[in-house]
């Protein structure tokens, strides 16, 4: 995400409206961000809207440290959507490497094709047009509109949701899935003017990533610790539904990753026998391969051969 130009701090809402107000949160969080924001390539002006979009696809469920090298290689190879759109979708999957959740690569390729066909190769600034692109959901549309174009949208990723849950709602963790109440709160906390709102979106996300983390939160470094409802309540333990863990070893995801690794490294179609060697359990291996084919990540050919998709 880019870091919008620093604006003056303003009040987000009319106190008479009865809505939660972020006025007491905006200035300290944005000032903290101005001093502590990481220098990330997608935040630099030269990244443009396409660089922001690529980063948002890659950063979903993937840490920055793993994204950085793939992001830089991707933008060097495909600096504009039209450059990616000219390639086969399998090349996007190949370049995705080991980022995980490779369907994101296909979705990003599909978005690049649509941007090229519908918008002359330029990532649209209009939120509705962004949302209409294949593979773009509410979060990504809001993130691109905010971080690339400085617009006023609530940008709710896991980090922002955790900051709001603690600072405003007073609970340790947000629900497993984003709720209507969270969206309403995020809209209520938005500063009224667009530049400040865009800066707030970036700053609250960075606060969750660096300070208000899921584990070992650093309240002594938090610019809003004195106002944090969760801290003031004595940091009550989470009492909601169990938080979902991210298991990997032995799962179909692991098998899918190993199968794709063979196909990414190959210069042509791969025989079934080469895929059979990557996992010992034949039923799980077949299920994982069938899933990759169904998701459009692998293309079966005659003679028991497989390749990354060309169309």
């Amino acid at each position: 995400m880019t870091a919008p130009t620093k604006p003056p701090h303003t009040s987000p809402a009319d106190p008479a409206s009865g809505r939660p107000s972020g006025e007491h949160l905006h200035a300290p969080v944005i000032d903290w961000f101005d001093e502590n924001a990481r220098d990330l390539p997608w935040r630099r002006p030269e990244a443009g809207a396409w660089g922001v979009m690529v980063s948002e696809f890659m950063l979903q469920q993937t840490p920055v440290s793993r994204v950085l090298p793939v992001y830089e290689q991707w933008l060097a190879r495909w600096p504009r959507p039209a450059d990616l759109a000219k390639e086969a979708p399998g090349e996007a999957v190949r370049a995705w490497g080991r980022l995980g959740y490779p369907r994101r690569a296909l979705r990003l390729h599909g978005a690049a094709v649509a941007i090229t066909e519908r918008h002359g190769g330029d990532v649209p600034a209009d939120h509705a047009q962004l949302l209409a692109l294949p593979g773009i959901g509410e979060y990504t549309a809001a993130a691109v509109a905010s971080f690339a174009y400085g617009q006023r949208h609530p940008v709710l990723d896991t980090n922002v949701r955790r900051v709001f849950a603690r600072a405003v709602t007073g609970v340790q963790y947000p629900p497993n899935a984003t709720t209507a109440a969270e969206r309403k709160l995020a809209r209520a906390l938005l500063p009224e003017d667009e530049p400040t709102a865009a800066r707030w979106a970036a700053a609250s996300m960075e606060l969750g990533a660096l300070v208000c983390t899921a584990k070992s939160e650093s309240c002594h470094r938090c610019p809003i610790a004195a106002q944090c409802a969760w801290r003031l309540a004595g940091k009550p333990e989470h009492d909601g539904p169990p938080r979902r863990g991210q298991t990997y070893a032995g799962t179909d995801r692991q098998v899918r990753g190993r199968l794709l690794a063979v196909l990414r490294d190959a210069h042509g179609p791969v025989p079934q026998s080469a895929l059979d060697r990557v996992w010992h359990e034949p039923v799980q291996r077949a299920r994982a391969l069938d899933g990759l084919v169904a998701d459009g990540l692998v293309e079966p050919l005659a003679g028991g051969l497989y390749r990354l998709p060309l169309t």
Side-chain angles (χ1 to χ4, degrees):
M1 65 183 180
T2 55
T5 303
K6 181 179 179 180
H9 307 312
T10 58
S11 173
D14 180 357
S17 69
R19 296 182 299 164
S21 172
E23 181 179 3
H24 63 299
L25 303 177
H26 296 155
V29 172
I30 292 173
D31 287 343
W32 171 87
F33 182 67
D34 293 338
E35 295 294 327
N36 296 278
R38 291 168 291 179
D39 179 19
L40 300 172
W42 45 86
R43 288 180 174 161
R44 299 168 191 162
E46 61 268 24
W50 174 238
V52 172
M53 178 175 285
V54 170
S55 76
E56 290 299 335
F57 270 83
M58 291 184 173
L59 287 165
Q60 294 168 22
Q61 299 178 287
T62 308
V64 167
S65 59
R66 290 181 59 199
V67 166
L68 279 169
V70 180
Y71 172 88
E72 291 174 348
Q73 293 165 10
W74 189 285
L75 267 295
R77 181 175 179 181
W78 298 309
R80 288 181 51 80
D83 300 316
L84 176 59
K86 289 186 292 188
E87 297 267 16
E91 286 306 301
V93 176
R94 193 189 311 276
W96 199 255
R98 297 184 180 275
L99 283 183
Y101 303 98
R103 277 178 289 182
R104 292 179 293 169
L106 289 183
R107 291 169 183 156
L108 184 51
H109 182 275
V113 171
I115 290 167
T116 302
E117 294 176 347
R118 303 177 193 172
H119 304 288
D122 294 323
V123 176
D126 181 75
H127 180 267
Q129 291 180 337
L130 286 166
L131 200 55
L133 295 173
I136 302 287
E138 176 57 39
Y139 165 78
T140 304
V144 173
S146 179
F147 301 147
Y149 293 114
Q151 296 177 15
R152 183 180 184 270
H153 295 282
V155 183
L156 274 176
D157 80 335
T158 301
N159 290 314
V160 176
R161 294 174 62 224
R162 186 170 55 253
V163 169
F164 291 176
R166 292 175 179 172
V168 181
T169 311
V171 296
Q172 185 177 17
Y173 298 118
N176 285 334
T178 306
T179 65
E182 287 182 282
R183 294 187 179 95
K184 181 178 180 180
L185 174 62
R187 290 193 297 269
L189 293 175
L190 269 180
E192 289 294 345
D193 72 281
E194 287 199 330
T196 307
R199 195 74 178 173
W200 162 251
S204 55
M205 186 177 293
E206 189 80 334
L207 185 66
L210 299 184
V211 175
C212 194
T213 56
K215 298 178 181 179
S216 303
E217 65 279 352
S218 301
C219 295
H220 64 285
R221 296 194 293 120
C222 180
I224 54 172
Q227 301 103 299
C228 176
W230 181 58
R231 192 189 71 84
L232 292 173
K235 294 187 176 181
E237 292 290 330
H238 177 67
D239 64 356
R243 301 179 68 227
R244 293 192 296 261
Q246 290 192 345
T247 56
Y248 183 73
T251 63
D252 285 4
R253 276 188 59 218
Q254 184 181 25
V255 185
R256 286 163 60 104
R258 291 192 177 184
L259 293 169
L260 276 180
V262 173
L263 293 162
R264 281 197 309 268
D265 293 341
H267 297 292
V270 171
Q272 178 77 56
S273 58
L275 297 176
D276 289 344
R277 290 194 289 269
V278 307
W279 197 253
H280 63 282
E281 210 289 303
V283 174
Q284 187 180 25
R285 186 179 64 236
R287 182 172 65 242
L289 182 57
D290 288 345
L292 289 171
V293 172
D295 289 341
L297 290 161
V298 172
E299 186 177 329
L301 305 173
L305 300 175
Y306 297 86
R307 69 183 178 192
L308 296 177
L310 293 182
T311 58

